[in-house]
Amino acid sequence: MLLQNPAVKKVWVSAARPLVKPVDLSKQPASTGSSGSSSSSSSEASGVKPGATAAAPTAATDGSVVATGLSRLAKRHPGLDGTGTLICMIDTGLQYTLPAFGGCSGINAPVGSCNVVVGRDMVGSRYDGSPGSLPQEGDAPLDCYDHGTKVASVAGTANGVAPGAKLGIYRIFGCRGVATDAVIIPALDRAVKDGCHIINLSAASGSGFEERSPYADVMEAAYEKGVLAVKSAGNSGTSGVFFESDVALAVGSITVGSIGAGSIDVDDIMVISDFSSFGPHPALQLSPHICAPGSYIKAYSKSGSITSVSGTSFSCPFMAGVLALWRQGKQQEAKAAGRALRPAELNQASALRAIVSTADMVRSQTPGLVEPIARCGGGVIQADALLDNQINVDPMMIQLSSNLRRPWVTAVRLTWTGAAPLANDVTFEVKHVPAYSLDITNNWYGTDLESNSNNATAIVTALTPRVTLRAGPKPTAIVRLNFTLLAELTRRPLLYSGIIRLLPITTRSSSSSNSSSNSSGSSNMTSNSNTTSNSTGNSTDPPAPTPNPSVIFVPLVIPYQGYSQDYRQLPIMARVINSSDDANDYYDYYANQLAEHAKALCYAPRSAPSAAGNLMDYQADVPYVCDGGFAETMAMWINVSLGVLQDSPECSLRVTLAPQTPMQWLYVDLLHARNGTKIGSLQPLDTSANGPLVSTHEVWSWCLGFNGTYTPVGGGSATLTVGFKYRIAVNAVGPSAARDAANKIPPRRERVLIRGVINVVP
């Protein structure tokens, strides 16, 4: 194997990444999803300059200009349209011949009128990501999927959020199938070298771990050059937690979920889209980070018609468009102040922190509770607050230890980051807004929000109910918070979360008694003292006025998240649930499927996974892919050819597993068949970035990559002996909460004895 070669220093698994396909909301029940678009002025939303191309009659921003702050941004910063920013799509291609993209005859042709100025076909039309499918690069990255065209139009056409931005396209999908890391990484690298400012990636896989991501080097290089990256959270909202598109994919990207209008022609209230995938990050860190409109978005199809589309594939370019407006706004502010813009002001870390800290909460169907941050991160993007805010929040998210059993106090620091000193004191009121909690056990059956959600919440007390930033060059203030979990929360295995909200209420100025508040709750010279409602429908106190009209103080948010019990006790493998209810055939069916198909030896001579580089195959192929033998009982013999293993080691020998939480590693032990004594070990499987890593209703066959050679208990190297019999056991390493890991608490290891006996034949 490669790692046994001393010249090889590091090996990554090249995972398959499926396209985040649009969602057909006409076939979904109307509950928390969006209900349509409003007749809001799209030219106001995008801030088109006088004389510039007007927005299309139906625009991607219809129905969301108020809730996302785009209308307020256009009023306070007229003329922002994304000019000077290059937004690049890593997608299925783009029909750049359409008038909406400048009627291009090729990439950047003709020069001046073509808005698609960089790009490359990385794969060719016949590529499908399967073993043996080789990419064929070309100069014409046209779209045969009709996905990339729609994505690009949301970000940067007259129909989109940033109509003045230029576009790039890097085609990573053929006309069918999936894309693998082996083509996505070169596409990202090429986009960075071509000068893209913002990269949009609407591909997804299961949840994963970023520590060993093959994307680390190329993304680090991107961020060092000031490139911003966004990716979609995925459309698996009904599949349960940990299904947000994995953090290993384009590691460090801003992950975007989807919201939509709460009712037809209502622009100021947004609710979560049912299809938007749940996080959290396997270490209980923030993921997804933010939500943007992704339901019933108007976009150009490759035929040139405007169509209504839904999915996080479209909330993602919406966010990319907002970032283009933000970049342009920051550049204009620096120019007006006669100063150079510091690179740190536009980098990925700054953008992510600003996006989360200035978001607006997403209300749930339960009064007084918001959506869990595992669903929508900090909340709905607020384009105006993103640009206006000059206060840094550190940390941007509070991570709690799992199994918290006594009050815990933490602190958050606020720091003024304005180029000019803060002229007057500003005071914030600290408020706690809890989210409903999620039961994340037995997740193999998916998340039924009625049975898996819980209204138990943490008790959070602000030890500093009001904090003040004092006038000066770089003032700071400390918010001190006390977290307490009551018995109703700790008696259940619940993922709990919420938002700490900081509302600007006063300044030291005595000249601003006649003030008024805008609809986002941000304060300026023209705000009044009337209580208003924010975009979630929650009443807020009046914000603070400031004597300087150029300074805006906006509401700030600090999301938090924790697990009510010991995170290490969360089962890694799905458990069989026996139902005595005859009406519950659904659960019985999947329980039987789990019992029959999982934890078994699978012999698939000279086979390969369905997607190049994958470690596993889909449930539909189990046990059928095991044409050499599938162990139905613990004692069943499977004749395994040593010659076949040596000739075709990748996937000839497999085990079937159904993990319900993300795995970091699979350690594989070789056992004596009769007494179960450990004889040696196979090469460990790095499962950190190969998804899907969490299965809902699916049993996967995992390729062991075994060539018949193993490491004996005493060290060295040995080979299977013809005529001998062996068993396999796997040790799965699960996730660890970030704060638990910081406290040096090891992750859970779960041992699984695999059904069946390996009978070695020549």
Side-chain angles (χ1 to χ4, degrees):
M1 300 183 69
L2 283 174
L3 283 175
Q4 295 172 339
N5 185 332
V8 177
K9 302 300 182 184
K10 199 169 187 179
V11 173
W12 291 279
V13 174
S14 176
R17 315 287 177 176
L19 182 68
V20 182
K21 295 183 179 180
V23 176
D24 185 356
L25 292 181
S26 66
K27 298 180 180 179
Q28 297 200 1
S31 54
T32 60
S34 64
S35 302
S37 60
S38 78
S39 57
S40 300
S41 169
S42 53
S43 60
E44 177 187 56
S46 58
V48 178
K49 296 179 181 179
T53 302
T58 52
T61 53
D62 282 358
S64 63
V65 293
V66 174
T68 59
L70 284 171
S71 58
R72 298 184 295 274
L73 180 71
K75 291 175 182 177
R76 275 193 48 78
H77 305 274
L80 293 184
D81 64 356
T83 294
T85 295
L86 177 56
I87 306 175
C88 295
M89 316 298 151
I90 311 292
D91 214 287
T92 64
L94 196 161
Q95 202 68 27
Y96 47 72
T97 58
L98 297 176
F101 300 105
C104 312
S105 58
I107 297 298
N108 201 26
V111 175
S113 61
C114 177
N115 290 328
V116 184
V117 297
V118 296
R120 183 73 174 167
D121 185 350
M122 307 298 294
V123 293
S125 295
R126 295 184 179 181
Y127 174 80
D128 63 7
S130 65
S133 177
L134 299 178
Q136 300 290 329
E137 290 196 32
D139 297 325
L142 292 170
D143 185 5
C144 63
Y145 245 122
D146 204 7
H147 184 272
T149 302
K150 296 171 183 175
V151 169
S153 77
V154 172
T157 60
N159 182 67
V161 179
K166 296 298 184 182
L167 298 174
I169 180 65
Y170 299 86
R171 183 186 182 192
I172 58 169
F173 290 89
C175 293
R176 59 188 179 88
V178 299
T180 68
D181 295 340
V183 297
I184 302 174
I185 291 174
L188 289 166
D189 184 55
R190 174 107 185 201
V192 173
K193 292 176 179 176
D194 284 348
C196 299
H197 299 120
I198 301 171
I199 294 176
N200 184 100
L201 185 57
S202 293
S205 187
S207 190
F209 301 81
E210 73 271 36
E211 289 83 357
R212 298 183 299 280
S213 169
Y215 290 81
D217 291 341
V218 67
M219 298 312 297
E220 181 180 357
Y223 301 142
E224 286 179 352
K225 292 187 177 181
V227 177
L228 306 177
V230 294
K231 66 182 178 185
S232 57
N235 298 338
S236 302
T238 60
S239 295
V241 294
F242 296 123
F243 254 82
E244 175 263 310
S245 62
D246 75 68
V247 295
L249 174 62
V251 59
S253 296
I254 298 166
T255 304
V256 188
S258 173
I259 44 90
S263 61
I264 296 177
D265 295 331
V266 175
D267 193 344
D268 61 347
I269 296 178
M270 289 279 154
V271 295
I272 195 72
S273 303
D274 287 340
F275 56 77
S276 190
S277 292
F278 281 90
H281 183 291
L284 302 188
Q285 295 170 332
L286 190 64
S287 189
H289 300 108
I290 195 72
C291 276
S295 294
Y296 297 113
I297 299 296
K298 299 299 187 297
Y300 280 105
S301 70
K302 68 175 187 176
S303 68
S305 62
I306 291 180
T307 184
S308 180
V309 293
S310 297
T312 58
S313 282
F314 310 108
S315 60
C316 189
F318 194 107
M319 185 70 247
V322 171
L323 284 173
L325 304 181
W326 173 72
R327 286 186 81 258
Q328 184 186 13
K330 298 291 280 188
Q331 291 165 341
Q332 289 185 358
E333 285 182 352
K335 184 178 181 180
R339 67 179 182 86
L341 191 66
R342 301 185 304 273
E345 294 181 74
L346 290 181
N347 66 16
Q348 182 82 352
S350 297
L352 176 58
R353 187 178 299 276
I355 286 167
V356 172
S357 299
T358 59
D360 198 5
M361 304 171 297
V362 182
R363 68 178 183 178
S364 72
Q365 292 182 326
T366 303
L369 300 180
V370 294
E371 286 289 337
I373 70 169
R375 196 80 188 273
C376 215
V380 181
I381 180 64
Q382 298 296 293
D384 59 326
L386 174 64
L387 185 56
D388 288 334
N389 180 49
Q390 299 181 72
I391 296 173
N392 184 66
V393 179
D394 186 32
M396 70 174 182
M397 175 207 175
I398 298 172
Q399 302 169 28
L400 291 92
S401 300
S402 68
N403 206 33
L404 198 65
R405 288 300 179 266
R406 56 185 178 183
W408 182 70
V409 176
T410 191
V412 177
R413 180 181 294 272
L414 308 182
T415 303
W416 174 255
T417 61
L422 180 62
N424 296 274
D425 297 353
V426 60
T427 297
F428 289 85
E429 184 169 7
V430 184
K431 290 190 174 184
H432 172 226
V433 186
Y436 65 84
S437 298
L438 296 169
D439 187 333
I440 60 176
T441 59
N442 296 325
N443 192 55
W444 195 69
Y445 299 99
T447 295
D448 177 354
L449 290 182
E450 293 185 2
S451 60
N452 286 54
S453 62
N454 191 291
N455 291 342
T457 64
I459 304 299
V460 184
T461 304
L463 302 180
T464 47
R466 293 190 176 188
V467 295
T468 300
L469 284 168
R470 302 296 181 186
K474 293 291 179 183
T476 64
I478 300 296
V479 180
R480 290 176 57 81
L481 304 164
N482 182 83
F483 288 81
T484 304
L485 306 190
L486 301 181
E488 63 176 335
L489 191 60
T490 59
R491 74 167 65 102
R492 297 276 303 277
L494 297 174
L495 184 69
Y496 63 92
S497 62
I499 297 288
I500 307 301
R501 202 153 194 259
L502 308 179
L503 300 172
I505 55 170
T506 62
T507 67
R508 199 176 55 186
S509 169
S510 59
S511 62
S512 42
S513 56
N514 297 321
S515 52
S516 91
S517 152
N518 65 29
S519 62
S520 71
S522 58
S523 68
N524 57 24
M525 192 67 174
T526 62
S527 17
N528 71 40
S529 59
N530 296 327
T531 299
T532 64
S533 174
N534 63 29
S535 69
T536 64
N538 297 318
S539 179
T540 67
D541 286 336
T546 171
N548 184 354
S550 67
V551 177
I552 293 289
F553 297 114
V554 303
L556 301 172
V557 300
I558 310 164
Y560 71 85
Q561 185 168 250
Y563 185 60
S564 64
Q565 297 184 355
D566 188 345
Y567 195 48
R568 296 175 303 167
Q569 298 305 311
L570 191 65
I572 298 174
M573 298 299 164
R575 302 297 197 254
V576 173
I577 298 178
N578 295 315
S579 172
S580 58
D581 184 0
D582 292 337
N584 203 352
D585 294 337
Y586 174 83
Y587 287 91
D588 287 340
Y589 170 80
Y590 286 111
N592 291 336
Q593 184 184 65
L594 183 65
E596 293 174 4
H597 290 174
K599 304 178 183 179
L601 192 65
C602 166
Y603 183 43
R606 296 183 173 86
S607 65
S610 56
N614 263 16
L615 289 178
M616 74 290 289
D617 263 343
Y618 291 100
Q619 174 202 9
D621 294 327
V622 176
Y624 310 110
V625 71
C626 313
D627 54 359
F630 179 79
E632 298 177 358
T633 66
M634 190 64 69
M636 184 174 177
W637 289 12
I638 304 294
N639 292 327
V640 176
S641 167
L642 179 59
V644 168
L645 295 184
Q646 292 172 334
D647 291 341
S648 182
E650 183 183 16
C651 285
S652 291
L653 192 63
R654 311 180 183 204
V655 295
T656 61
L657 298 171
Q660 69 171 8
T661 57
M663 297 187 299
Q664 299 192 57
W665 291 96
L666 268 180
Y667 292 97
V668 185
D669 292 339
L670 191 66
L671 312 178
H672 191 287
R674 182 172 296 176
N675 57 28
T677 303
K678 180 178 176 179
I679 297 173
S681 302
L682 278 59
Q683 185 71 39
L685 297 182
D686 182 352
T687 58
S688 63
N690 192 278
L693 300 182
V694 185
S695 58
T696 299
H697 306 160
E698 293 166 347
V699 179
W700 305 81
S701 64
W702 295 71
C703 302
L704 296 181
F706 184 41
N707 65 355
T709 300
Y710 62 94
T711 302
V713 172
S717 178
T719 302
L720 297 179
T721 302
V722 174
F724 278 53
K725 298 175 180 58
Y726 305 87
R727 289 190 183 276
I728 293 287
V730 298
N731 296 277
V733 179
S736 180
R739 189 162 289 276
D740 291 350
N743 293 332
K744 301 190 183 306
I745 298 174
R748 177 184 178 90
R749 294 176 67 105
E750 190 170 303
R751 185 174 176 81
V752 177
L753 182 62
I754 301 299
R755 288 199 314 261
V757 176
I758 298 173
N759 182 44
V760 183
V761 298

